Amino acid sequence: MKISNKYLGPEIIIAGPGTGKTYTLINKIKDLIIEYPNDKLGIIVCTFTRKASEELQYRLYSEKEIKPEYLKNKELLIGTIHSISFHLLKEFVGDEYSDFEILAEDEQINFIHSILLRLGFSDEEIKGRNGWQLSEELTSLFNKITDEEIDISQIDFEDNVDIEEYCSKYPFYLRLLKRFKRFDYATIQKILLNKLNNNQDILSKIQEVFQFVFVDEYQDVNNLQDKLLKKIASKNNNITVVGDDDQSIYGFRGGNVEHIINFKSYFEQKDIYCKERKLLINRRSTKNIIKTNKLLIDNAKYKRIKKDIQPYRMIDGEKVSILGFENDKLEAEFIVNQIKELVYNQKVVKYSDIGILFRSVKNHSERIKKELFDNNIPFSIIGAGDLFSTSMGEEFISLIELFISKDKNRISNFYDKIEEIESKYASGILSDYVNNNLFDKLEEFLTSGQKFNSCLGLTYEMFNVVNFIKRYQDEGQNIGELTNIIKSFDEFSDYFDIFGLYSYVKYLASTQKVNYFNSNKNSISLLTIHQAKGLEYPVVFLASQNEREKRKNLMDKFNAILKKSIAIGEERRLFYVACSRAENLLYITFSKKLASSKKTYNPVTFINELLETSIINKEIPKYDLSSSDFRDKHFSNNEKLYLSYNRVALYNKCPLHYYFQNVLNLQTVKIGGMIFGNNIHKIIERVLKMVLDEGININAINISNIIDEIWDEKDYRGFHESEKYKKAAYSQINNLVNNYSDLFKRNQIYSVEETFNINLKDVLITGRFDYCRMHNDEIEIIDFKTGDESDYTEQLSFYNYCFQYKNGIKPTKLYVYFLKTGRLVNINPIPSDNVLQNIISVTNQIKQNIFFANKGKHCKSCAYSKICEIYTK
């Protein structure tokens, strides 16, 4: 196969704001697939947030020009840098890391908190809030050391004894990560890079499968990520990166703008031609907004890639307004009055057309929030960390306090707390408690002597007693976030530790670490500039732009030791990113004084630069908004939906269960059978990949050793339960190997744990085939089940349809193997049209928010049974 030169070699695409960065990236990948429909290609597409990777995945698989058969020979790996690293380690490095798990950012803090004593900290040092603060600081410190490949033995700490002590814990932290079979986001990338540098065979295998690498938002990569991505692409250097150095705003997380600036010269120094494209036509903003942004960024004195952004929209639009006020109250009143005028003149069709941006929502938005509230203007806050500053959040904390209280007047004290919450939020909570006798029910619950194995189990019991989920059913995502916090805490607790959970939640509340999600879609967005990156609004208010002193934290001190700092360039780029979110109107405001302070403030530096020009409006604007030419935008109202067979089947069984699990995202307590199923599938996958990758006869594999290596026992209720399930696993897998070894010959293995992504009618169907076998030129699908025998015709029919859709080959036989009984059962599929109609029907009902309770035998084993009883009354 000869690939066209337009796809080969390195390419950098510099994409200014509003110039179609994602569209261009997807188009290049799409063109590559379409131009070589029958050829085997491997493509890695790397993004920097899970949301961005889901968006790319959805859009790429939704391209109508990419026919299903074009993807038959394509290996697409789309995800964040850490998810891609995790996949490559598991698939290509062998058994060493096959049973490791990734720690999400909040889980990393919990993990570190759980090992503080092992790291050598005293009980006094880790007591209460101090322990959580320490865990958070260590998380940031350890990640920085890994991301930036810092040799701590070479650091001159001078008199910074505390930081020196913290750094000395880093090697022990790495050992404990390995001992507990965990990766944090940084170490997973570091370990993969080390493997690629030290083992040419592993690198060659990856490069044989993946010939092309695409990277979005390249201006945000850190040193480690830059090396890793270039290493993966190093065979033919088929790496395309997209980004904008002027939008590099994550230096505080290790992002290094130099990598995108020097990308082209990096290859030229190796005598490798690097293509360069610049996307310079801004389709988002008016001429006046673009002119202001251009002036702002062109004033930069630091090294940057020069670019001349030009408008696509041929209208001047209104000048950017920069307005200073005597105090923040007057500033807030102006913003609200201007919003009212925009609504009156119908220039704002819906409140969600407006974004109010801050450098810190937590610290800078109070006055504006109050003014919006007083004027009955709906708003959503993103990034204020205020989940526990709501009626729901405060009630939740009060319930935990009630449970751990030993005071004989605890119910009376709890009544006072509920009364206080009612007075504060006018939520009707007190009447709910009184009218439904909830205080009496709590007293009965507290004196029942009921025992609990987990904080999540206790939480659901208390939710049940006080109708919590029923009363807060409109809070949706926030209830799910509460259960996620508790589950994450339980994950790293060796025992039922309600006092530890209380300490953790109080820390989260006091430090405002958890955001409240407002589900009102027709509301003004209040968010930080960092959160606004990648978004756009017809009207933007860049508010509270006062020059403030930044409080120094541990990482600032560490940067000072390293002689590093976040340069002034990042502050300018942050301001530029904020201004470039605006489509039609941009207001930049500041105040000389704050109501809470006697201090006088100056505007941020860049405001003075702009005020010296004639292109800025410096007076309260009197726009003739009735005749303003605003951008006409047409967005699809179709929300993206991701389904798997299990989700489709769950909805068919009980739509309300689906709602709890996949809409509210309510976490559940794992039970032994669920963990057993996960363990069994990991063991079988390991065994089959040993046959496939290493050519080992399945009968020669030591099953007992594999089980010992892989077995995850952390969620079982004690050693004895774990051992019971472990013995069952050995017996069942041994029977599978002894009785059906002919099914697992190397030359017959078509795929193991093969993934699929299929776009059907505005829904992305995802999943995996446990095992596919090629026998006598025919495909057989075998699915492994650990539970009791049941009818799996619908599931295998679903897989049959998806396999044919993805690979263009119709499987001839479908089997379910029941490990418990050792039976291999042949399945006759239902017609594919029926499968498709079922998927479409479920999709339509979910999009119409149809979630009713469907009662049946399944209710007995449902994790949400008690909630359901309350919810459906």
Side-chain angles (χ1 to χ4, degrees), residues 490-501:
D490 276 341
E491 184 87 6
F492 301 101
S493 274
D494 295 329
Y495 54 92
F496 171 62
D497 184 11
I498 188 62
F499 291 97
L501 175 65

Side-chain angles (χ1 to χ4, degrees), residues 113 181 209 225 342 363 548 562 583 594 604 650 668 871:
H113 188 270
K181 298 184 177 181
V209 174
Q225 292 161 349
L342 289 165
N363 302 317
R548 292 172 169 90
L562 299 173
E583 298 175 3
L594 306 179
V604 295
L650 179 59
T668 57
Y871 203 91

Side-chain angles (χ1 to χ4, degrees), residues 551-604:
R551 294 180 182 177
K552 290 191 175 182
N553 56 29
L554 180 134
M555 295 310 297
D556 293 322
K557 295 177 183 176
F558 189 50
N559 281 324
I561 292 171
L562 299 173
K563 306 296 187 288
K564 293 183 178 181
S565 63
I566 306 301
I568 188 66
E570 183 137 319
E571 289 295 325
R572 182 180 293 275
R573 292 192 293 268
L574 188 66
F575 197 81
Y576 175 74
V577 165
C579 294
S580 61
R581 301 307 95 197
E583 298 175 3
N584 303 312
L585 290 176
L586 173 60
Y587 303 86
I588 303 170
T589 63
F590 63 94
S591 58
K592 294 179 182 178
K593 290 186 178 180
L594 306 179
S596 58
S597 172
K598 294 180 180 180
K599 184 177 177 181
T600 301
Y601 293 87
N602 293 317
V604 295

Side-chain angles (χ1 to χ4, degrees), residues 495-671:
Y495 54 92
F496 171 62
D497 184 11
I498 188 62
F499 291 97
L501 175 65
Y502 178 65
S503 169
Y504 180 47
V505 170
K506 289 292 284 184
Y507 169 73
L508 293 175
S510 64
T511 53
Q512 295 179 288
K513 296 294 180 188
V514 188
N515 295 325
Y516 173 80
F517 175 78
N518 189 323
S519 59
N520 184 358
K521 294 183 179 179
N522 185 22
S523 59
I524 294 171
S525 295
L526 275 63
L527 66 170
T528 67
I529 299 170
H530 284 95
Q531 290 165 327
K533 189 169 181 290
L535 303 179
E536 56 186 24
Y537 297 92
V539 180
V540 168
F541 291 90
L542 184 50
S544 194
Q545 292 302 300
N546 302 347
E547 196 69 71
R548 292 172 169 90
E549 288 185 16
K550 184 175 180 283
R551 294 180 182 177
K552 290 191 175 182
N553 56 29
L554 180 134
M555 295 310 297
D556 293 322
K557 295 177 183 176
F558 189 50
N559 281 324
I561 292 171
L562 299 173
K563 306 296 187 288
K564 293 183 178 181
S565 63
I566 306 301
I568 188 66
E570 183 137 319
E571 289 295 325
R572 182 180 293 275
R573 292 192 293 268
L574 188 66
F575 197 81
Y576 175 74
V577 165
C579 294
S580 61
R581 301 307 95 197
E583 298 175 3
N584 303 312
L585 290 176
L586 173 60
Y587 303 86
I588 303 170
T589 63
F590 63 94
S591 58
K592 294 179 182 178
K593 290 186 178 180
L594 306 179
S596 58
S597 172
K598 294 180 180 180
K599 184 177 177 181
T600 301
Y601 293 87
N602 293 317
V604 295
T605 306
F606 319 111
I607 286 178
N608 290 327
E609 289 181 16
L610 295 175
L611 285 174
E612 292 174 0
T613 72
S614 60
I615 65 173
I616 296 297
N617 175 57
K618 304 166 190 176
E619 304 292 334
I620 291 182
K622 296 181 180 179
Y623 301 144
D624 182 12
L625 293 172
S626 60
S627 63
S628 294
D629 185 6
F630 273 29
R631 182 186 180 198
D632 184 21
K633 295 173 65 173
H634 299 282
F635 287 117
S636 169
N637 290 322
N638 291 332
E639 290 194 15
K640 299 175 182 62
L641 185 63
Y642 299 84
L643 291 178
S644 62
Y645 169 76
N646 287 336
R647 289 190 174 192
V648 171
L650 179 59
Y651 186 89
N652 284 328
K653 183 168 69 175
C654 180
L656 186 58
H657 189 142
Y658 176 95
Y659 177 74
F660 287 146
Q661 183 171 305
N662 298 301
V663 179
L664 297 187
N665 293 315
L666 298 182
Q667 302 297 315
T668 57
V669 180
K670 288 183 180 179
I671 58 174

